Amino acid sequence: MTARTWAVALTGLNGHMVDVEADLAQQTPGFDLIGLADRALGEAVRRVHGACRNSGLELPRRKLTVNLSPASLPKHGSGFDLAIAIAAFGTAGTLDQASIARTVHLGELGLDGRLRPIPGVLPALHAAREAGFDRAVVPFANEAEARLVPGLEVHSAVTLAQVALLHGADVSDPGDPQPVLASAAAQVSEPVWELADVIGQDDAVRALIVAAAGGHHLLLSGPPGAGKTMLARRLAGILPDLDDERALEAASIRSLAGETLTRLERRPPFVAPHHSASVAAMIGGGSRVARPGAIARAHGGLLFLDEAAEAPGVVVEALRQPLESGEIEIHRAGFTARFPARFQLVLATNPCPCGAYGVVGEECICPPSAIRRYAARLSGPIRDRLDIEVRVARVSAADVTMPEGGTTSTAQARARVEEARERAAWRWRGTPWRLNAHVPGTWLRQGDFRLPAEARGPLDRALQRGALTLRGYDRVLRLAWSVADLDGAAAPGLAQVGRALYLKKGAAA
């Protein structure tokens, strides 16, 4: 007799439906698992035997073969345990075959029969819903995360026996066993830092608002203590909430990273890896299972790299491809995993190794060659991909002693940003883009969105004398549209283009 149910194999955020088939043969008792399983999945045979025995579910004493189809698709991890156990026990004829055949089963089994939580439940069930399934069984600890997928009938279970009862098995009620809870900490929202706390940095605050309005990348340069980290954290606070699609993608990435999800977080993520982080920590990886790195976890929000000039060059250069494409690819033998990586990059750096170069009242002890080498650690291609450069100076005593704080609050700045983004979204309706930073330069240099010669005059001259590359030219155009959206202008004029060129070439705060 055969029985079948369904599970999901993940490659990055892409889920593939796996048909779990169990066949019972007239041979010596045994249990074979086939279908390109890795070592962790190959050990499922012993976990399933122990869990069934301790749950009062006796497997048939004949030759069992469980096939994971498609056989050519690599399958990793222990999340297939529950589906394998249900398919294997289903060959005894005591389960409702129609019920198990239309249900997706996800979960790891303990030897005592309890279900343990697994990572990646949210993207797995999203893939199942897209494939037409409307019913799933997950471990108790993953229930809140599973219910984030709309249109899906979710059943959570503490033990394997409870799952068998759901499908009509004649087994004793397991009672009220203690569930296995997730060991990971519950998700914690990034605090919203108040922009009004920033004093004496009016140009920098205005640059933050332009960056938030258009989704532009930003470089903050200045001495230690000038407030670069403070500004970066407050940029995250003025970004609008994520829409349903982007929030679900960001939550799916956190789920794959092993975070326990209890709700759909609407605030954009703020990811700030240490400057000594490795390439693998930034882009993600793994020999068998691809896990998202900092680049993917920042999807929909901010990736902040402090002391960027101190980071290994290969780590900073790894940002080039996702900055252009909006996704990160991880290539391994046998599979390629893709993660969305549409984030805003914020880099912060000192002007020199000692941090005193150009600071009034301090003496820089770095030789000129060391200053040049330090500046060159951020390569030309990386700088060319940044839309805004802001030189942040230390706050003066007069600014500190002022009775009032900053002139713009976080709520006021976010309202301006939301209004500017609504203008941009209306303008780019019918296209794949919603933010100015994502629009190809050809759209801005040609056709209906081409600026008149008078407005783009400074840009054309900068390009002609080599002060801008063509990529930089396009980025200034995008900035100009963001400035125009904040000003409420129908299109950028000479003033907006001049402001954008000033931001691109390094605004002194």
Side-chain angles (χ1 to χ4, degrees):
M1 184 176 179
T2 61
R4 65 188 305 182
T5 188
W6 295 89
V8 182
L10 289 173
T11 306
L13 278 190
N14 296 323
H16 309 276
M17 300 309 301
V18 175
D19 189 357
V20 183
E21 307 170 286
D23 178 68
L24 198 60
Q26 296 285 356
Q27 295 180 15
T28 305
F31 198 136
D32 289 338
L33 182 63
I34 59 176
L36 208 56
D38 70 347
R39 182 170 181 176
L41 182 49
E43 294 171 348
V45 171
R46 283 181 260 179
R47 291 194 295 271
V48 168
H49 266 298
C52 288
R53 182 176 61 254
N54 293 317
S55 300
L57 308 177
E58 287 296 329
L59 294 176
R61 296 182 178 275
R62 290 154 61 182
K63 178 69 171 182
L64 266 171
T65 302
V66 176
N67 178 43
L68 307 178
S69 179
S72 59
L73 177 70
K75 303 164 191 73
H76 311 283
S78 56
F80 294 86
D81 287 4
L82 180 58
I84 293 171
I86 290 298
F89 184 67
T91 58
T94 58
L95 297 182
D96 184 342
Q97 298 296 315
S99 176
I100 66 174
R102 71 179 188 91
T103 306
V104 177
H105 293 88
L106 301 175
E108 177 184 335
L109 287 175
L111 295 180
D112 58 357
R114 290 187 298 171
L115 298 184
R116 301 178 180 275
I118 60 173
V121 165
L122 182 58
L125 292 186
H126 181 69
R129 187 71 187 92
E130 291 293 315
F133 289 87
D134 59 4
R135 191 183 193 209
V137 177
V138 299
F140 175 84
N142 291 126
E143 179 181 8
E145 179 178 340
R147 294 195 182 279
L148 297 177
V149 181
L152 197 64
E153 178 189 343
V154 175
H155 298 271
S156 67
V158 177
T159 66
L160 177 60
Q162 289 178 347
V163 182
L165 282 171
L166 174 67
H167 297 302
D170 185 15
V171 295
S172 59
D173 191 334
D176 191 19
Q178 184 69 27
V180 179
L181 301 178
S183 59
Q187 67 186 99
V188 179
S189 300
E190 178 72 17
V192 177
W193 302 89
E194 178 52 57
L195 189 62
D197 293 341
V198 180
I199 58 175
Q201 304 284 12
D202 292 341
D203 269 5
V205 169
R206 285 191 288 268
L208 292 186
I209 294 174
V210 174
H216 302 288
H217 306 306
L218 179 68
L219 171 64
L220 300 171
S221 176
K228 301 185 293 295
T229 302
M230 176 184 66
L231 289 167
R233 289 190 178 278
R234 280 149 182 82
L235 174 57
I238 66 177
L239 294 178
D241 289 344
L242 301 177
D243 58 22
D244 291 343
E245 180 182 359
R246 192 58 57 89
L248 187 60
E249 289 176 343
S252 296
I253 293 172
R254 292 198 298 271
S255 175
L256 276 177
E259 185 175 340
T260 303
L261 302 181
T262 58
R263 64 187 183 277
L264 195 61
E265 180 59 59
R266 296 288 181 174
R267 292 302 303 149
F270 180 83
V271 180
H274 194 264
H275 65 265
S276 64
S278 66
V279 176
M282 289 294 291
I283 67 174
S287 58
R288 293 184 176 87
V289 181
R291 297 298 185 199
I295 290 175
R297 296 200 309 276
H299 176 64
L302 286 182
L303 176 64
F304 175 53
L305 188 57
D306 201 2
E307 305 294 344
E310 300 289 346
V314 66
V315 171
V316 179
E317 294 302 314
L319 299 171
R320 289 165 62 172
Q321 184 261 337
L323 284 177
E324 290 294 324
S325 65
E327 67 175 14
I328 185 72
E329 291 187 357
I330 301 173
H331 296 269
R332 294 293 183 269
F335 70 91
T336 299
R338 292 180 176 85
F339 296 102
R342 186 67 73 180
F343 58 87
Q344 277 186 258
L345 176 65
V346 181
L347 300 180
T349 184
N350 294 330
C352 69
C354 76
Y357 179 68
V359 180
V360 178
E362 292 200 16
E363 181 182 0
C364 177
I365 61 174
C366 304
S369 59
I371 297 175
R372 288 194 299 270
R373 284 196 303 270
Y374 194 81
R377 290 182 180 179
L378 292 180
S379 67
I382 285 293
R383 285 182 176 270
D384 207 28
R385 286 168 169 80
L386 300 173
D387 303 306
I388 301 174
E389 295 189 21
V390 179
R391 294 192 294 273
V392 185
R394 286 178 178 169
V395 179
S396 67
D399 293 323
V400 174
T401 56
M402 290 178 62
E404 66 275 3
T407 58
T408 305
S409 68
T410 294
Q412 292 170 336
R414 190 187 297 177
R416 289 190 64 198
V417 169
E418 290 174 348
E419 186 177 351
R421 288 197 175 193
E422 287 175 1
R423 291 194 183 98
W426 184 86
R427 180 171 58 252
W428 306 121
R429 67 192 185 281
T431 72
W433 315 293
R434 291 295 178 268
L435 296 179
N436 295 324
H438 302 161
V439 180
T442 53
W443 277 62
L444 303 179
R445 287 185 269 110
Q446 303 170 6
D448 296 338
F449 300 102
R450 179 180 173 87
L451 300 184
E454 179 184 356
R456 67 174 192 272
L459 269 182
D460 293 340
R461 290 190 292 271
L463 182 64
Q464 186 174 5
R465 67 175 183 265
L468 282 177
T469 65
L470 184 58
R471 180 188 285 121
Y473 184 99
D474 291 341
R475 291 192 179 278
V476 175
L477 283 177
R478 297 182 186 114
L479 270 175
W481 279 100
S482 295
V483 174
D485 288 335
L486 286 168
D487 292 345
L494 186 60
Q496 284 80 23
V497 172
R499 175 66 180 167
L501 191 57
Y502 172 69
L503 289 171
K504 172 61 180 174
K505 299 309 292 182

